[in-house]
Short mmCIF file of all heavy atoms in Angstrom, two decimals:
data_model
loop_
_atom_site.label_atom_id
_atom_site.label_comp_id
_atom_site.label_asym_id
_atom_site.label_seq_id
_atom_site.Cartn_x
_atom_site.Cartn_y
_atom_site.Cartn_z
N THR A 561 56.44 -62.42 -42.68
CA THR A 561 56.61 -61.14 -42.10
C THR A 561 56.28 -59.90 -43.00
O THR A 561 55.83 -58.96 -42.62
CB THR A 561 58.07 -61.03 -41.58
OG1 THR A 561 58.30 -62.10 -40.69
CG2 THR A 561 58.44 -59.65 -40.98
N LYS A 562 56.65 -60.19 -44.30
CA LYS A 562 56.24 -59.07 -45.17
C LYS A 562 56.02 -59.65 -46.66
O LYS A 562 56.65 -60.59 -47.02
CB LYS A 562 57.47 -58.06 -45.25
CG LYS A 562 57.26 -56.73 -45.99
CD LYS A 562 58.49 -55.89 -45.93
CE LYS A 562 58.24 -54.61 -46.76
NZ LYS A 562 59.39 -53.64 -46.62
N GLY A 563 55.04 -59.02 -47.37
CA GLY A 563 54.78 -59.51 -48.67
C GLY A 563 53.25 -59.26 -48.93
O GLY A 563 52.59 -58.32 -48.53
N LYS A 618 52.24 -56.64 -43.51
CA LYS A 618 53.05 -55.65 -42.92
C LYS A 618 54.00 -56.24 -41.79
O LYS A 618 55.01 -55.69 -41.55
CB LYS A 618 52.29 -54.48 -42.35
CG LYS A 618 51.43 -53.78 -43.42
CD LYS A 618 50.55 -52.65 -42.69
CE LYS A 618 49.71 -51.87 -43.77
NZ LYS A 618 50.48 -51.07 -44.74
N TYR A 619 53.44 -57.29 -41.10
CA TYR A 619 54.23 -57.84 -40.07
C TYR A 619 53.81 -59.25 -39.73
O TYR A 619 52.73 -59.68 -40.18
CB TYR A 619 54.10 -57.01 -38.73
CG TYR A 619 52.67 -57.04 -38.24
CD1 TYR A 619 52.25 -57.87 -37.15
CD2 TYR A 619 51.68 -56.15 -38.78
CE1 TYR A 619 51.00 -57.86 -36.75
CE2 TYR A 619 50.38 -56.02 -38.27
CZ TYR A 619 50.15 -56.99 -37.20
OH TYR A 619 48.77 -57.04 -36.72
N ASN A 620 54.77 -60.04 -39.14
CA ASN A 620 54.41 -61.38 -38.83
C ASN A 620 53.32 -61.49 -37.78
O ASN A 620 53.37 -60.86 -36.70
CB ASN A 620 55.63 -62.15 -38.26
CG ASN A 620 55.60 -63.70 -38.36
OD1 ASN A 620 54.77 -64.30 -37.75
ND2 ASN A 620 56.41 -64.23 -39.21
N GLU A 649 58.59 -60.83 -49.30
CA GLU A 649 59.42 -59.86 -49.61
C GLU A 649 60.44 -59.76 -48.52
O GLU A 649 60.23 -60.26 -47.41
CB GLU A 649 58.66 -58.44 -49.72
CG GLU A 649 57.68 -58.46 -50.87
CD GLU A 649 56.81 -57.22 -50.83
OE1 GLU A 649 57.25 -56.15 -50.15
OE2 GLU A 649 55.80 -57.08 -51.46
N ASP A 650 61.60 -59.17 -48.76
CA ASP A 650 62.60 -58.92 -47.80
C ASP A 650 62.11 -57.99 -46.67
O ASP A 650 61.25 -57.10 -46.93
CB ASP A 650 63.89 -58.23 -48.46
CG ASP A 650 64.58 -59.17 -49.36
OD1 ASP A 650 64.39 -60.32 -49.29
OD2 ASP A 650 65.29 -58.58 -50.31
N PHE A 651 62.58 -58.27 -45.52
CA PHE A 651 62.12 -57.55 -44.28
C PHE A 651 63.27 -57.20 -43.32
O PHE A 651 64.31 -57.87 -43.41
CB PHE A 651 61.03 -58.32 -43.61
CG PHE A 651 61.46 -59.71 -43.14
CD1 PHE A 651 62.06 -59.86 -41.95
CD2 PHE A 651 61.17 -60.78 -43.98
CE1 PHE A 651 62.62 -61.20 -41.58
CE2 PHE A 651 61.60 -62.11 -43.52
CZ PHE A 651 62.31 -62.27 -42.31
N GLU A 652 63.09 -56.32 -42.46
CA GLU A 652 64.04 -56.03 -41.42
C GLU A 652 63.30 -55.95 -40.04
O GLU A 652 62.31 -55.12 -39.95
CB GLU A 652 64.67 -54.67 -41.72
CG GLU A 652 65.60 -54.72 -42.95
CD GLU A 652 66.82 -55.50 -42.82
OE1 GLU A 652 67.15 -55.93 -41.65
OE2 GLU A 652 67.53 -55.74 -43.85
N THR A 653 63.83 -56.69 -39.10
CA THR A 653 63.22 -56.62 -37.73
C THR A 653 64.33 -56.39 -36.66
O THR A 653 63.92 -56.30 -35.47
CB THR A 653 62.48 -57.94 -37.40
OG1 THR A 653 63.45 -59.05 -37.56
CG2 THR A 653 61.29 -58.16 -38.36
N ASN A 654 65.49 -56.25 -37.00
CA ASN A 654 66.66 -56.13 -36.10
C ASN A 654 66.91 -54.70 -35.83
O ASN A 654 67.44 -54.08 -36.77
CB ASN A 654 67.82 -56.97 -36.50
CG ASN A 654 68.88 -57.10 -35.40
OD1 ASN A 654 69.07 -56.08 -34.62
ND2 ASN A 654 69.41 -58.20 -35.34
N LEU A 655 66.59 -54.15 -34.67
CA LEU A 655 66.98 -52.78 -34.25
C LEU A 655 68.40 -52.45 -34.52
O LEU A 655 68.88 -51.49 -35.09
CB LEU A 655 66.52 -52.47 -32.89
CG LEU A 655 66.85 -51.11 -32.34
CD1 LEU A 655 66.13 -50.00 -32.90
CD2 LEU A 655 66.72 -51.11 -30.80
N VAL A 656 69.23 -53.24 -33.85
CA VAL A 656 70.77 -52.94 -33.80
C VAL A 656 71.35 -52.88 -35.15
O VAL A 656 72.22 -52.14 -35.49
CB VAL A 656 71.46 -53.90 -32.83
CG1 VAL A 656 72.90 -53.58 -32.82
CG2 VAL A 656 70.90 -53.81 -31.53
N ASP A 657 70.86 -53.70 -36.09
CA ASP A 657 71.45 -53.80 -37.51
C ASP A 657 70.84 -52.68 -38.34
O ASP A 657 71.36 -52.56 -39.45
CB ASP A 657 71.05 -55.14 -38.06
CG ASP A 657 71.83 -56.27 -37.48
OD1 ASP A 657 72.85 -55.99 -36.71
OD2 ASP A 657 71.53 -57.44 -37.76
N ASN A 658 69.98 -51.92 -37.79
CA ASN A 658 69.35 -50.93 -38.70
C ASN A 658 69.36 -49.55 -38.16
O ASN A 658 68.61 -48.64 -38.41
CB ASN A 658 67.88 -51.29 -38.98
CG ASN A 658 67.76 -52.46 -39.95
OD1 ASN A 658 67.89 -52.25 -41.18
ND2 ASN A 658 67.59 -53.63 -39.33
N LEU A 659 70.49 -49.13 -37.32
CA LEU A 659 70.61 -47.92 -36.69
C LEU A 659 70.84 -46.79 -37.68
O LEU A 659 70.56 -45.63 -37.44
CB LEU A 659 71.82 -47.96 -35.59
CG LEU A 659 71.39 -48.87 -34.42
CD1 LEU A 659 72.62 -48.72 -33.49
CD2 LEU A 659 70.20 -48.35 -33.66
N ASP A 660 71.34 -47.17 -38.89
CA ASP A 660 71.57 -46.22 -39.91
C ASP A 660 70.36 -45.55 -40.51
O ASP A 660 70.30 -44.61 -41.07
CB ASP A 660 72.34 -46.81 -41.10
CG ASP A 660 71.70 -48.05 -41.71
OD1 ASP A 660 71.08 -48.92 -40.91
OD2 ASP A 660 71.69 -48.19 -42.87
N LYS A 661 69.20 -46.31 -40.15
CA LYS A 661 67.88 -45.74 -40.59
C LYS A 661 67.27 -44.92 -39.55
O LYS A 661 66.02 -44.51 -39.65
CB LYS A 661 66.91 -46.93 -41.01
CG LYS A 661 67.51 -47.80 -42.13
CD LYS A 661 66.59 -48.96 -42.32
CE LYS A 661 67.21 -49.83 -43.49
NZ LYS A 661 66.41 -51.18 -43.60
N PRO A 803 62.07 -52.75 -28.30
CA PRO A 803 63.50 -52.86 -27.95
C PRO A 803 64.11 -51.47 -28.14
O PRO A 803 63.71 -50.70 -29.04
CB PRO A 803 64.04 -53.89 -28.96
CG PRO A 803 62.97 -53.92 -30.00
CD PRO A 803 61.69 -53.64 -29.39
N GLU A 828 62.60 -48.93 -31.51
CA GLU A 828 61.81 -49.59 -32.65
C GLU A 828 60.52 -48.92 -32.78
O GLU A 828 59.87 -48.57 -31.88
CB GLU A 828 61.71 -50.97 -32.30
CG GLU A 828 60.79 -51.80 -33.30
CD GLU A 828 60.35 -53.02 -32.75
OE1 GLU A 828 60.94 -54.09 -32.89
OE2 GLU A 828 59.29 -53.05 -32.04
N THR A 829 60.01 -48.72 -34.06
CA THR A 829 58.60 -48.54 -34.34
C THR A 829 58.29 -49.24 -35.62
O THR A 829 59.18 -49.93 -36.18
CB THR A 829 58.49 -46.92 -34.57
OG1 THR A 829 56.97 -46.77 -34.58
CG2 THR A 829 59.04 -46.42 -35.84
N SER A 830 57.02 -49.19 -35.97
CA SER A 830 56.46 -49.91 -37.17
C SER A 830 56.81 -49.11 -38.38
O SER A 830 57.28 -47.90 -38.32
CB SER A 830 55.06 -50.23 -37.06
OG SER A 830 54.20 -48.98 -37.18
N GLN A 831 56.55 -49.55 -39.57
CA GLN A 831 56.74 -48.90 -40.80
C GLN A 831 55.61 -47.89 -41.01
O GLN A 831 55.63 -47.06 -41.98
CB GLN A 831 56.78 -49.78 -42.04
CG GLN A 831 57.96 -50.76 -41.91
CD GLN A 831 59.38 -50.11 -42.31
OE1 GLN A 831 59.31 -48.88 -42.49
NE2 GLN A 831 60.35 -50.91 -42.42
N VAL A 859 63.63 -46.18 -35.33
CA VAL A 859 64.10 -47.02 -36.34
C VAL A 859 62.88 -47.75 -36.81
O VAL A 859 62.30 -48.72 -36.16
CB VAL A 859 65.11 -48.07 -35.89
CG1 VAL A 859 65.54 -48.95 -37.11
CG2 VAL A 859 66.40 -47.21 -35.40
N PRO A 860 62.27 -47.39 -38.04
CA PRO A 860 61.16 -48.11 -38.52
C PRO A 860 61.51 -49.53 -39.08
O PRO A 860 62.38 -49.73 -39.73
CB PRO A 860 60.61 -47.26 -39.81
CG PRO A 860 61.42 -46.04 -39.54
CD PRO A 860 62.71 -46.32 -38.91
N LEU A 861 60.75 -50.54 -38.49
CA LEU A 861 61.08 -51.97 -38.93
C LEU A 861 59.68 -52.60 -39.23
O LEU A 861 58.66 -52.11 -39.09
CB LEU A 861 61.62 -52.64 -37.67
CG LEU A 861 63.09 -52.19 -37.17
CD1 LEU A 861 63.42 -52.75 -35.89
CD2 LEU A 861 64.05 -52.36 -38.25
N ASP A 862 59.78 -53.84 -39.78
CA ASP A 862 58.66 -54.55 -40.17
C ASP A 862 57.96 -55.32 -39.00
O ASP A 862 58.03 -56.55 -38.98
CB ASP A 862 59.02 -55.55 -41.31
CG ASP A 862 59.49 -54.72 -42.59
OD1 ASP A 862 58.76 -53.82 -43.00
OD2 ASP A 862 60.68 -54.95 -42.91
N VAL A 863 57.46 -54.54 -38.11
CA VAL A 863 56.88 -55.09 -36.91
C VAL A 863 55.53 -54.33 -36.72
O VAL A 863 55.25 -53.33 -37.41
CB VAL A 863 57.74 -54.95 -35.72
CG1 VAL A 863 58.92 -55.74 -35.78
CG2 VAL A 863 57.92 -53.48 -35.43
N PHE A 864 54.58 -54.83 -35.88
CA PHE A 864 53.42 -54.06 -35.53
C PHE A 864 53.90 -52.94 -34.56
O PHE A 864 54.82 -52.93 -33.90
CB PHE A 864 52.33 -54.95 -34.73
CG PHE A 864 51.12 -54.34 -34.59
CD1 PHE A 864 50.44 -53.94 -35.70
CD2 PHE A 864 50.49 -54.16 -33.37
CE1 PHE A 864 49.14 -53.34 -35.63
CE2 PHE A 864 49.21 -53.57 -33.17
CZ PHE A 864 48.60 -53.15 -34.31
N THR A 1179 63.33 -62.75 -30.72
CA THR A 1179 62.99 -62.70 -32.10
C THR A 1179 63.91 -63.49 -32.95
O THR A 1179 65.18 -63.31 -32.68
CB THR A 1179 63.01 -61.25 -32.68
OG1 THR A 1179 62.04 -60.61 -31.72
CG2 THR A 1179 62.51 -61.18 -34.07
N ASP A 1180 63.47 -64.34 -33.87
CA ASP A 1180 64.34 -64.94 -34.89
C ASP A 1180 64.34 -63.98 -36.07
O ASP A 1180 63.35 -63.88 -36.85
CB ASP A 1180 63.73 -66.21 -35.41
CG ASP A 1180 64.63 -67.00 -36.36
OD1 ASP A 1180 65.36 -66.34 -37.13
OD2 ASP A 1180 64.65 -68.20 -36.37
N HIS A 1181 65.46 -63.15 -36.19
CA HIS A 1181 65.44 -62.16 -37.22
C HIS A 1181 65.56 -62.67 -38.68
O HIS A 1181 65.30 -62.00 -39.67
CB HIS A 1181 66.61 -61.06 -36.98
CG HIS A 1181 66.26 -60.34 -35.77
ND1 HIS A 1181 65.31 -59.57 -35.54
CD2 HIS A 1181 67.03 -60.26 -34.58
CE1 HIS A 1181 65.37 -58.93 -34.39
NE2 HIS A 1181 66.43 -59.43 -33.75
N GLU A 1182 65.93 -64.04 -38.78
CA GLU A 1182 65.86 -64.62 -40.05
C GLU A 1182 64.45 -64.78 -40.51
O GLU A 1182 64.12 -64.84 -41.72
CB GLU A 1182 66.64 -66.01 -40.05
CG GLU A 1182 68.09 -65.84 -39.85
CD GLU A 1182 68.81 -65.23 -40.96
OE1 GLU A 1182 68.54 -65.41 -42.18
OE2 GLU A 1182 69.71 -64.31 -40.67
N MET A 1183 63.49 -65.02 -39.59
CA MET A 1183 62.16 -65.27 -39.89
C MET A 1183 61.23 -64.08 -39.60
O MET A 1183 60.12 -63.93 -40.04
CB MET A 1183 61.49 -66.49 -39.04
CG MET A 1183 62.27 -67.79 -39.36
SD MET A 1183 61.66 -69.09 -38.18
CE MET A 1183 60.02 -69.22 -38.81
N GLY A 1184 61.78 -63.08 -38.98
CA GLY A 1184 61.10 -61.90 -38.49
C GLY A 1184 59.92 -62.24 -37.51
O GLY A 1184 58.92 -61.65 -37.52
N LYS A 1185 60.20 -63.30 -36.67
CA LYS A 1185 59.08 -63.88 -35.91
C LYS A 1185 59.47 -63.97 -34.41
O LYS A 1185 60.65 -64.25 -34.06
CB LYS A 1185 58.74 -65.26 -36.41
CG LYS A 1185 57.67 -66.04 -35.70
CD LYS A 1185 57.46 -67.41 -36.27
CE LYS A 1185 56.38 -68.08 -35.40
NZ LYS A 1185 56.23 -69.53 -36.03
N TYR A 1186 58.56 -63.72 -33.49
CA TYR A 1186 58.71 -63.95 -32.10
C TYR A 1186 58.59 -65.53 -31.87
O TYR A 1186 57.77 -66.11 -32.29
CB TYR A 1186 57.67 -63.19 -31.28
CG TYR A 1186 57.61 -61.64 -31.48
CD1 TYR A 1186 56.44 -61.15 -31.85
CD2 TYR A 1186 58.88 -60.95 -31.30
CE1 TYR A 1186 56.51 -59.68 -32.06
CE2 TYR A 1186 58.85 -59.61 -31.47
CZ TYR A 1186 57.67 -58.97 -31.87
OH TYR A 1186 57.63 -57.58 -32.06
#
Side-chain angles (χ1 to χ4, degrees):
T561 301
K562 188 176 182 180
K618 299 176 183 290
Y619 65 96
N620 201 295
E649 298 176 14
D650 293 338
F651 56 84
E652 293 291 348
T653 58
N654 193 320
L655 172 71
V656 177
D657 287 353
N658 288 277
L659 294 178
D660 58 319
K661 299 175 184 174
E828 169 200 274
T829 191
S830 69
Q831 297 283 8
V859 178
L861 297 171
D862 297 306
V863 297
F864 191 58
T1179 306
D1180 183 332
H1181 294 297
E1182 293 295 319
M1183 300 175 66
K1185 177 182 178 181
Y1186 302 125

